[in-house]
Amino acid sequence: MGSLYPKGNKIYLSFQDASGKWRARSSGLPVGEEKRAMKMLEAIEGKISAGARLGSRHSEVTVEVYAAQWIRDRESHGIASAKDDESRIRLHILPEFGSVAMTSVRPHHLRDLVRGLRSKTSAKNEPLAPRSIRHVYAITRRMFQDAVVDELIDTTPCVLKQHDLPKKIDKDPTFRANATFTRDELVRITTDRRVPDDRRMLYGLMGIGAMRFGEAAARRWRDYDTDTEPLGRMVIASSFDVKSHREKATKTQSPRAMPVHQTLCEMLMAWKEDGWAQLMSRRPNPDDLIVPSVKGRFRNVNHSLRQFHKDLDALGFRRRRQHDLRRTFITLARAGGARPDILRWATHGPTGDIVDIYTSMPWESLCEAVAYLKVDFREAS
């Protein structure tokens, strides 16, 4: 425990730094303000203790030192975005104020960071997308909020003026308008024999089952309950993380039960009875993936994207992302008349809202929303 002592008419603080050496510092307070000086001393010693818990041997923990430990903690907790977070911090934050002590970072550092990002270009010599800039700032804000919890700093410096951050717009404003597939394109890509059976099944899970790629890649036959009515039930409680190469919780951290559209049901029946066995040279069991790779493993998202573009080229379709199949399901179902709130429950599951927690959506209502997607094998030419 440190101590106070007078020097002239000022109060000085005496304390041990993280290396054990005694330090002295003026409080700037006059003699008679010992209570305020003691609070100042306690705050200094608290930050030194917090730094020691992080393994720092210095009295001041820099942004670089804290960021390294912070990223390790996120990785150890299985946070899927940890690698992206590390990349954003390394490329954008550390070059700006990585050597600055956490306690010395001020709002102007964050303001200058954002202004610099808005004038920065990517590896392709293009301006950074507004969403990319917002992602960098968001992860910086999260890191400093956690530093408050770790008692390294008293308050976060992440406060900006209203117009400092760019608006949430895409780099290409026309991107989203052109991202979906038409109803006829969805039918073709899930029925055309120029597309291999296994990939048509994968596209069916995403475009008719409204699954993200990782969710479709992680689905096993045991997840599919054919006995529920009026539609079968696909339990989506996990996703294959393409970055860590392991199964994890879904993006929303909320398992959901998705009604299996009648057309998707027919695809799954045909795939299970014939296509799966041809791909794997045996009959599937409940623990098998519904759409495994040819080696029986999880599918690789990058390889699948290349094959997806190859299939789109073969059909004469414009190239889009695999995720646009899920976007297509939601778009076409809403266009067909599905209630947005019910459809969202089926495709995203309940939110963290307390009302959702206390709500059990009737299965028939979810099935009705899914049935508004009008696709049928008989429509294929």
Side-chain angles (χ1 to χ4, degrees), residues 29-225:
L29 298 171
V31 173
E33 294 282 355
E34 281 75 15
K35 286 186 178 180
R36 290 177 60 191
M38 181 57 70
K39 289 183 179 180
M40 187 180 297
L41 176 62
E42 290 172 352
I44 291 173
E45 291 184 327
K47 291 177 175 60
I48 293 173
S49 296
R53 291 194 295 271
L54 294 172
S56 174
R57 300 293 295 172
H58 303 282
S59 57
E60 297 282 7
V61 177
T62 64
V63 173
E64 183 175 17
V65 170
Y66 182 71
Q69 179 63 51
W70 187 72
I71 290 296
R72 286 195 293 270
D73 286 345
R74 289 174 74 79
E75 290 174 341
S76 67
H77 284 88
I79 296 176
S81 64
K83 290 188 180 297
D84 288 337
D85 298 340
E86 186 278 333
S87 180
R88 292 183 180 114
I89 290 172
R90 174 172 45 82
L91 293 176
H92 303 296
I93 300 171
L94 298 187
E96 295 299 320
F97 48 84
S99 61
V100 178
M102 291 288 290
T103 54
S104 298
V105 178
R106 298 291 181 265
H108 74 82
H109 288 102
L110 282 303
R111 179 202 63 199
D112 294 345
L113 169 68
V114 171
R115 289 179 178 177
L117 291 174
R118 297 187 74 161
S119 62
K120 198 172 185 178
T121 57
S122 66
K124 296 181 180 179
N125 203 31
E126 299 175 346
L128 291 182
R131 289 180 184 274
S132 298
I133 297 172
R134 295 183 71 95
H135 284 322
V136 173
Y137 178 71
I139 201 59
T140 308
R141 182 175 58 190
R142 169 55 59 192
M143 183 176 71
F144 277 95
Q145 287 173 340
D146 288 352
V148 174
V149 178
D150 289 334
E151 300 181 351
L152 278 176
I153 56 178
D154 297 322
T155 59
T156 174
C158 295
V159 287
L160 294 177
K161 294 181 181 179
Q162 183 178 2
H163 302 295
D164 281 336
L165 278 176
K167 293 182 179 180
K168 293 180 180 179
I169 58 174
D170 295 309
K171 184 164 58 176
D172 178 3
T174 66
F175 161 71
R176 293 182 187 273
N178 298 319
T180 57
F181 291 84
T182 67
R183 182 167 165 270
D184 291 339
E185 287 177 329
L186 179 59
V187 171
R188 287 274 304 281
I189 202 169
T190 53
T191 59
D192 198 298
R193 291 294 177 181
R194 285 175 288 180
V195 180
D197 290 353
D198 60 320
R199 300 210 290 268
R200 282 191 283 114
M201 187 67 255
L202 177 65
Y203 304 154
L205 291 176
M206 290 189 286
I208 307 176
M211 298 181 203
R212 302 174 179 89
F213 175 85
E215 294 171 347
R219 295 285 54 78
R220 301 178 188 274
W221 289 108
R222 66 168 181 260
D223 298 327
Y224 180 28
D225 182 358

Side-chain angles (χ1 to χ4, degrees), residues 263-333:
T263 297
L264 181 58
C265 173
E266 295 173 16
M267 291 182 68
L268 285 164
M269 289 175 58
W271 172 244
K272 187 174 185 180
E273 292 299 317
D274 187 26
W276 201 98
Q278 289 186 27
L279 179 69
M280 303 306 299
S281 301
R282 63 175 177 84
R283 299 281 298 172
N285 63 55
D287 290 331
D288 283 321
L289 297 169
I290 294 178
V291 280
S293 70
V294 293
K295 295 182 179 180
R297 302 171 183 169
F298 294 106
R299 289 187 170 241
N300 178 279
V301 65
N302 295 319
H303 176 73
S304 292
L305 178 60
R306 289 192 293 270
Q307 296 300 317
F308 182 54
H309 286 165
K310 178 180 177 181
D311 294 333
L312 294 181
D313 292 344
L315 297 175
F317 295 166
R318 175 170 44 84
R319 288 190 175 188
R320 275 149 283 187
R321 307 172 306 166
Q322 293 179 97
H323 191 71
D324 293 331
L325 288 166
R326 173 174 157 87
R327 178 188 296 276
T328 294
F329 170 89
I330 295 172
T331 300
L332 295 181

Side-chain angles (χ1 to χ4, degrees), residues 198-260:
D198 60 320
R199 300 210 290 268
R200 282 191 283 114
M201 187 67 255
L202 177 65
Y203 304 154
L205 291 176
M206 290 189 286
I208 307 176
M211 298 181 203
R212 302 174 179 89
F213 175 85
E215 294 171 347
R219 295 285 54 78
R220 301 178 188 274
W221 289 108
R222 66 168 181 260
D223 298 327
Y224 180 28
D225 182 358
T226 60
D227 294 331
T228 56
E229 294 182 350
L231 295 176
R233 183 196 311 264
M234 185 72 75
V235 177
I236 304 172
S238 64
S239 177
F240 178 63
D241 184 5
V242 298
K243 294 177 181 177
S244 64
H245 302 288
R246 62 180 180 83
E247 277 190 85
K248 63 174 184 61
T250 60
K251 180 179 179 180
T252 60
Q253 305 289 314
S254 178
R256 68 182 190 276
M258 178 71 185
V260 177

